[in-house]
Amino acid sequence: NIKHASSSSNNLVLASDGNVSITNTLSAGTIGNNVNVQGSFGVTDVTSKFDITSPFTAGGSYNVAWHFNGFVFVNFAIDCSTTSGSFKFMQINDSNFYPNNEYSHSSISYQQDSSNRVYVNTSGEFFVSHAFSPSGSDSVFRINVHLWYRTA
């Protein structure tokens, strides 16, 4: 049993079955001002699980995907010389990281390029919907993809 000197009851109790219970309320001040957190909190780089599909190519130097506690966070910059239509631009190559539902996100484009949305389906396929690059801009469609989803 552990208790603070000013407390009338125990704060942490180790039961005979090995379980620990917390009683009363612990605050950051109770725990301490210099808490040293070890490790990465289970955040895993899963960028290698994502394959950009033709005709798209990586358009940025910081393409990354992170997995944490059943969620995947994706940050990719994608380029394509095809300037209009709806296209698959990425595939997850490990079914452990497939989404549990279809997730739709907004997109960020460049030089007046636009799209309706980007989405990922339960088969791990990423699509850009209604990509459009207007006349007068260069012939490269660019999109930045920043999204998250829950894994299956």
Side-chain angles (χ1 to χ4, degrees):
N1 294 337
I2 300 174
K3 73 176 187 171
H4 190 271
S6 65
S7 176
S8 62
S9 64
N10 297 321
N11 295 106
L12 295 175
V13 178
L14 176 61
S16 60
D17 63 1
N19 288 321
V20 174
S21 62
I22 300 174
T23 59
N24 301 321
T25 301
L26 294 178
S27 66
T30 305
I31 295 170
N33 293 330
N34 296 312
V35 177
N36 185 9
V37 177
Q38 301 289 321
S40 63
F41 291 107
V43 176
T44 306
D45 183 346
V46 294
T47 308
S48 65
K49 308 295 183 190
F50 294 78
D51 297 325
I52 298 171
T53 57
S54 180
F56 287 86
T57 58
S61 60
Y62 190 70
N63 292 333
V64 66
W66 299 98
H67 180 260
F68 171 69
N69 201 27
F71 289 90
V72 174
F73 302 87
V74 178
N75 180 68
F76 277 82
I78 310 291
D79 293 348
C80 180
S81 60
T82 304
T83 57
S84 64
S86 295
F87 303 98
K88 178 179 170 180
F89 65 88
M90 195 157 49
Q91 174 70 50
I92 302 170
N93 62 34
D94 183 336
S95 62
N96 291 311
F97 297 99
Y98 285 3
N100 66 339
N101 284 304
E102 180 174 293
Y103 288 86
S104 182
H105 297 270
S106 57
S107 60
I108 302 169
S109 301
Y110 177 72
Q111 290 186 336
Q112 301 176 350
D113 295 344
S114 65
S115 69
N116 178 36
R117 67 183 178 132
V118 295
Y119 64 97
V120 56
N121 64 27
T122 57
S123 298
E125 300 170 303
F126 287 78
F127 291 89
V128 57
S129 175
H130 302 291
F132 178 71
S133 186
S135 61
S137 68
D138 64 16
S139 62
V140 177
F141 175 78
R142 295 174 181 87
I143 188 169
N144 289 314
V145 179
H146 310 286
L147 57 87
W148 62 270
Y149 64 86
R150 180 87 168 129
T151 55

